Amino acid sequence: MLEEVGVPYRLNLVNLVKDGQFEPAFLKLSPNNRIPALVDPQGPDGEPISVFESGAILQYLGRKFRRFYPREERKRVEVEQWLFWQVGGLGPMAGQAHHFRQHAPIPIDYAIERYTREVERLYGVLERRLRDREGLLSGRYRLYRLDRAA
């Protein structure tokens, strides 16, 4: 999103292997000890603000920069429902499927089948949505995914 709105930013890596997500300084920013987290030194009223959880970060940035987050209620609802579809469905389910298919110390057939089926279902939702449009959303309000390694 920061790339899309064209604002300068600095990326600070959190070393998950060394439990960096549990360090007190990081927990102040992200009490759920998860990435991503954002610190905006020029937040509301010019005061710093920290935001955690990807959906909240995207909403905050969309409102702040008035990009990809419409003011009109009907259009905003369209953006939010697909945003929450991703953060509450596709993201977590794909993560679980990947974990149980690739990293579980003991293969658990039920978990592999359950999460794989759910991700396939969600991909079906995505395929149907993209049948007649370029992106998840119509008009100028589209969701983009940054697929590059940090």
Side-chain angles (χ1 to χ4, degrees):
M1 178 67 155
L2 294 169
E3 292 284 330
E4 288 293 327
V5 297
V7 297
Y9 63 92
R10 183 178 71 230
L11 179 65
N12 295 312
L13 300 177
V14 177
N15 190 333
L16 303 179
V17 174
K18 294 184 178 180
D19 292 336
Q21 72 273 28
F22 297 108
E23 292 179 9
F26 183 74
L27 286 171
K28 284 183 183 178
L29 306 175
S30 180
N32 195 30
N33 70 299
R34 296 283 189 259
I35 55 173
L38 172 89
V39 176
D40 180 358
Q42 297 180 353
D45 303 321
E47 295 295 319
I49 188 171
S50 61
V51 186
F52 69 100
E53 296 296 333
S54 58
I57 291 168
L58 289 170
Q59 286 180 311
Y60 171 74
L61 293 172
R63 288 189 307 267
K64 177 175 177 150
F65 295 106
R66 297 183 180 180
R67 300 271 313 276
F68 310 112
Y69 202 73
R71 290 183 177 181
E72 301 86 7
E73 185 64 17
R74 197 168 292 280
K75 291 179 180 178
R76 188 173 51 236
V77 166
E78 184 182 9
V79 168
E80 288 175 341
Q81 66 190 3
W82 286 102
L83 173 62
F84 287 106
W85 173 83
Q86 194 286 321
V87 299
L90 183 61
M93 294 300 107
Q96 292 296 327
H98 179 74
H99 171 78
F100 283 107
R101 293 170 64 93
Q102 303 294 323
H103 300 289
I106 300 169
I108 303 168
D109 291 340
Y110 170 78
I112 292 168
E113 291 171 21
R114 178 186 190 278
Y115 289 112
T116 299
R117 264 194 324 272
E118 180 60 6
V119 170
E120 288 171 351
R121 186 191 72 77
L122 290 164
Y123 281 152
V125 171
L126 181 60
E127 289 287 337
R128 287 188 298 279
R129 180 68 177 173
L130 294 175
R131 242 181 234 150
D132 61 351
R133 63 191 77 229
E134 289 180 40
L136 285 175
L137 303 170
S138 59
R140 64 187 193 125
Y141 303 107
R142 293 196 178 106
L143 293 177
Y144 295 90
R145 182 168 176 239
L146 186 59
D147 261 348
R148 62 179 178 167

